[in-house]
Amino acid sequence: MSEPTRFEPPISAVSEPYWEATRERRLVLQHCDSCERTVWYPRVLCPHCGGTDLTWSDACGHGAVYAVSVQYRPGHPALADRVPYAVALVDLDDGVRVMTSVVGCAAEDVHIGQRVRPTWEELSDGRNLLMHEPEA
Amino acid sequence: MIRQHSVRGAAAVVGVADAVSPDGVLQGSLRALEVQVIREALESAGLSLADVDGLATCTGGMMMPSVELAEYLGVSPVWTDSTQTGGSSFEIHVEHAAAAIASGACEVVVIVYAQTPKSTFKRGGARFLGGLPSGGADIDQVPRVEWEIPYGIQLPIGAYSLAASRHMAQYGTTSEQLAQIAVSTREWATLNPNASLRGPITIEDVLASPMTASPLHKLDCCLVTDGAGAIVMTSAERARDLRQRPAYVLGAGTAHSHSMISQMPDLTVTAGRESGAKAFAAARLGPGDVDVAQLYDSFTITVLLALEDLGFCGKGEGGSFVEDGRLGPGGSFPAQTSGGGLAYTHPGMFGMFLLVEAVRQLQGSCGPRQVPGAEVAVAHGCGGVLSATSTIILGTEATL
Ligand SMILES: [Zn+2]
């Protein structure tokens, strides 16, 4: 265990497999056996059809920026020395939209429509937080 | 297709009051402020606490705000509502109360709100922590703590900024157009002696104010002030015998689409499209019939999206709709005539003050900021992060 450098996500009852996979820097998402759609965020039922048979499977995590806002003040005190940083919503090619942070370029250069790929930031307990960076 | 059980004109707002101070600070406890505005609203109608048989509120206490307040006031309601949807809570209370009065479930309803975040902050008290859960919630019930807060988004401004960024990219909306909303709203505030911010501003002032979460500037954001307000409603029949010109509830509609911003289906379309359509259908009116609008202005983008979603202009056209200053005094579409959450007051949930101002405009009691001949007013609340909207259409006797 190291010292946390940001507010670290708690683990909800249903998301244990997600966080376990991040220890290997793998992204897994739930898929609904009934309607075959991808489900985000982790749940005990599919919000698309109400089905309760959900299966975890590997996802690619690449996607395109849907919306972005550069934070000039930290959303949490632990991030005070990281401003400005870009918080984005990314439409994953896997079929869901996630909140993320796009790193690996100037925050002001992150733009809507930009292609991004997954990158990971290590958390203090060995889990990793999904982030994104520009493709190639 | 939703079947309309129209309660058009069956209930009316017969008294309003608010407590707002130019420096944004109010003296007295929350209960004292609630009592003050309730008594004032009842007295303006010619009613007293003894007449009240319905009570709605959504803050204070532990778990049951309306139950706890009723005990304090010494009233025993036969109708109660503690619905909490953030900034749209009070519009929902009005919708529920109108239906209850129309059905005969109760006859005189008080809706009340008081919050003093500015005083609390000055005293060094608890600050809004951007969505971190309070004690008792299961983490499964607060998914933003697991899936949003770790990314350091400032809430609520970051969520509204994401929506603004998307609207700009998709429709070419500019920072100048958003700024014009703040400029027009401030023009109204210069006419309101209780407004916190009364000095006129320019588009350049808005663009030069600090950016906390792009693309929104400080002057695109609402105030943080103390404030309190109350509304009294009763049946149309009883309303005609009271002191004030009644503001009849012609139509109401509510909808919500998500709780956290990353789950909003389309960041350029709010649930206002549904709540507005329901309200206009019930009122048997259209957007062109509205004389004065009170649209929730937590941020300038909130107003722009409401203008489009309620049908005052087409989707994507909000920017060009506002840029001639038509929302301001003397403009063709007077909106947020109190000075809004941007310049009048914003204790956390501005929806109460939207209703108070809409009613005052229909009563003709707004003095220098009165919109001449206002017969139809809309109050459109928006709570959460563009999550839950509720639209109330009010009209004078002439609109029945
Ligand atoms: Zn499904």
Side-chain angles (χ1 to χ4, degrees):
Chain A
M1 293 281 285
S2 52
E3 283 300 303
T5 58
R6 64 166 70 234
F7 173 81
E8 298 197 341
I11 302 173
S12 61
V14 74
S15 64
E16 187 85 40
Y18 174 93
W19 291 113
E20 280 308 303
T22 71
R23 294 180 184 280
E24 303 159 9
R25 305 196 161 209
R26 268 192 315 118
L27 176 66
V28 296
L29 297 172
Q30 287 178 307
H31 293 272
C32 173
D33 294 348
S34 305
C35 72
E36 300 187 334
R37 292 180 70 173
T38 309
V39 171
W40 181 255
Y41 46 94
R43 287 170 166 88
V44 298
L45 97 170
C46 168
H48 308 296
C49 74
T52 52
D53 293 322
L54 301 174
T55 307
W56 291 98
S57 55
D58 284 315
C60 89
H62 287 239
V65 174
Y66 173 78
V68 60
S69 173
V70 178
Q71 309 295 295
Y72 291 93
R73 287 190 197 159
H76 189 276
L79 296 173
D81 59 354
R82 298 210 212 182
V83 292
Y85 54 87
V87 172
L89 299 179
V90 167
D91 285 335
L92 300 184
D93 298 344
D94 305 283
V96 293
R97 179 179 302 155
V98 298
M99 185 171 282
T100 185
S101 190
V102 179
V103 296
C105 64
E108 282 92 351
D109 290 341
V110 179
H111 57 274
I112 288 171
Q114 184 177 17
R115 291 289 307 173
V116 292
R117 66 185 180 200
T119 182
W120 300 90
E121 183 179 302
E122 192 170 359
L123 300 175
S124 64
D125 61 358
R127 289 183 296 154
N128 287 280
L129 183 65
L130 177 67
M131 314 269 278
H132 283 83
E133 62 187 10
E135 272 185 0
Chain B
M1 189 65 196
I2 296 164
R3 213 172 124 213
Q4 295 290 338
H5 298 271
S6 183
V7 296
R8 188 185 196 282
V13 180
V14 294
V16 296
D18 64 358
V20 171
S21 130
D23 66 3
V25 176
L26 294 175
Q27 306 301 326
S29 69
L30 292 172
R31 284 288 186 245
L33 291 167
E34 287 166 345
V35 167
Q36 176 189 329
V37 290
I38 289 171
R39 286 172 58 94
E40 206 178 304
L42 284 167
E43 276 164 22
S44 79
L47 295 166
S48 75
L49 272 175
D51 296 299
V52 176
D53 63 356
L55 186 66
T57 191
C58 64
T59 52
M62 298 293 287
M63 294 279 284
M64 306 178 288
S66 61
V67 175
E68 290 152 344
L69 178 62
E71 175 190 274
Y72 192 92
L73 297 172
V75 300
S76 302
V78 294
W79 177 88
T80 194
D81 194 352
S82 293
T83 302
Q84 170 58 272
T85 59
S88 53
S89 301
F90 312 102
E91 281 71 23
I92 294 182
H93 295 166
V94 169
E95 180 185 24
H96 292 177
I101 290 166
S103 75
C106 59
E107 196 180 8
V108 176
V109 169
V110 162
I111 305 168
V112 68
Y113 169 55
Q115 259 182 311
T116 54
K118 190 158 186 176
S119 296
T120 306
F121 183 61
K122 277 189 166 174
R123 286 196 305 266
R127 266 189 86 191
F128 176 63
L129 285 175
L132 293 177
S134 52
D138 188 330
I139 196 64
D140 294 49
Q141 296 172 319
V142 200
R144 75 181 49 165
V145 179
E146 191 171 11
W147 309 114
E148 289 192 345
I149 301 294
Y151 294 103
I153 186 170
Q154 302 166 77
L155 289 174
I157 185 179
Y160 287 84
S161 295
L162 287 168
S165 82
R166 184 67 201 180
H167 203 278
M168 287 174 161
Q170 199 163 319
Y171 295 113
T173 305
T174 65
S175 290
E176 287 78 5
Q177 290 170 333
L178 289 173
Q180 180 60 51
I181 294 172
V183 170
S184 294
T185 311
R186 186 68 71 88
E187 288 171 9
W188 284 113
T190 66
L191 303 175
N192 187 343
N194 281 330
S196 275
L197 299 175
R198 297 192 66 206
I201 52 169
T202 63
I203 288 175
E204 290 68 37
D205 291 332
V206 179
L207 300 186
S209 66
M211 200 178 257
T212 44
S214 72
L216 296 181
H217 304 80
K218 183 169 191 244
L219 291 178
D220 285 300
C221 306
C222 64
L223 301 159
V224 177
T225 66
D226 300 348
I231 290 168
V232 181
M233 293 175 64
T234 192
S235 65
E237 193 178 30
R238 191 155 175 190
R240 293 190 178 96
D241 299 329
L242 299 177
R243 287 190 192 143
Q244 303 291 326
R245 197 184 300 173
Y248 295 92
V249 179
L250 303 178
T254 294
H256 45 92
S257 51
H258 62 281
S259 176
M260 58 179 179
I261 197 68
S262 55
Q263 290 281 304
M264 186 172 181
D266 179 340
L267 264 68
T268 67
V269 181
T270 72
R273 192 174 266 189
E274 279 77 45
S275 68
K278 282 172 68 185
F280 280 119
R284 300 197 287 276
L285 293 171
D289 298 312
V290 172
D291 298 315
V292 58
Q294 311 297 337
L295 309 175
Y296 204 100
D297 60 339
S298 47
F299 300 92
T300 51
I301 183 66
T302 322
V303 175
L304 188 110
L305 292 172
L307 289 167
E308 295 176 354
D309 292 336
L310 296 185
F312 297 117
C313 61
K315 181 49 68 183
E317 296 169 4
S320 52
F321 183 81
V322 302
E323 70 186 353
D324 68 353
R326 79 177 75 194
L327 270 50
S332 60
F333 190 82
Q336 291 80 263
T337 54
S338 65
L342 291 169
Y344 175 44
T345 186
H346 198 296
M349 294 185 285
F350 191 66
M352 169 59 72
F353 305 91
L354 299 171
L355 290 157
V356 168
E357 180 71 4
V359 170
R360 285 178 172 157
Q361 286 287 348
L362 298 182
Q363 290 174 341
S365 64
C366 283
R369 63 179 196 277
Q370 178 66 42
V371 174
E375 304 281 357
V376 175
V378 59
H380 177 70
C382 179
V385 286
L386 296 166
S387 311
T389 65
S390 183
T391 313
I392 302 294
I393 298 169
L394 299 165
T396 62
E397 186 92 32
T399 64
L400 293 179

